[in-house]
């Protein structure tokens, strides 16, 4: 959530720039303008991030403990865990 709060103004600016490339964006540079719409975004993002991280850490730990043909520090473990977390 802290990352969203820090980067949300940049994302807002980028999105508005792409939607209206030749506008002046006078109201954008106020705190209210930069953070408009953040509450729904954080409310929707938080459960997704919780499920993603739970799936990622569980898969990573399981693969690291039962590595078999993979060494426990193999980058492939992290890649597989990330893919599994995205699917979850």
């Amino acid at each position: 959530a802290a990352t969203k709060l820090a980067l949300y103004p940049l994302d807002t600016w980028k999105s508005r720039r792409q939607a209206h490339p030749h506008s002046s964006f006078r109201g954008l540079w106020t705190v209210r303008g930069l953070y408009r719409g953040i509450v729904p975004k954080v409310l929707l993002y938080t459960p997704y991030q919780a499920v993603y991280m739970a799936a990622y850490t569980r898969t990573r730990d399981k693969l690291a403990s039962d590595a078999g043909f993979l060494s426990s520090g193999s980058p492939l473990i992290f890649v597989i865990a990330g893919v599994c977390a995205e699917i979850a």
Side-chain angles (χ1 to χ4, degrees), residues 2-17 28-36 38 41:
T3 306
K4 285 287 180 204
L5 288 173
L7 296 177
Y8 192 78
L10 291 173
D11 189 42
T12 301
W13 177 79
K14 176 193 65 98
S15 297
R16 292 183 187 171
R17 238 2 228 174
L28 175 65
W29 298 113
T30 63
V31 173
R32 185 173 183 195
L34 286 173
Y35 285 97
R36 186 175 10 172
I38 194 163
K41 190 164 191 163

Side-chain angles (χ1 to χ4, degrees), residues 45-60:
Y45 176 77
T46 303
Y48 157 77
Q49 191 63 30
V51 170
Y52 177 88
M53 288 306 296
Y56 174 81
T57 55
R58 186 176 204 136
T59 305
R60 181 199 63 205

Side-chain angles (χ1 to χ4, degrees), residues 12-13 27 38-39 44-45 48 52-53 57 62-63 65-66 69 72 82 84-86 88:
T12 301
W13 177 79
I38 194 163
V39 173
L44 292 172
Y45 176 77
Y48 157 77
Y52 177 88
M53 288 306 296
T57 55
K62 181 71 173 162
L63 288 173
S65 67
D66 299 339
F69 68 94
S72 64
C84 290
E86 279 295 329

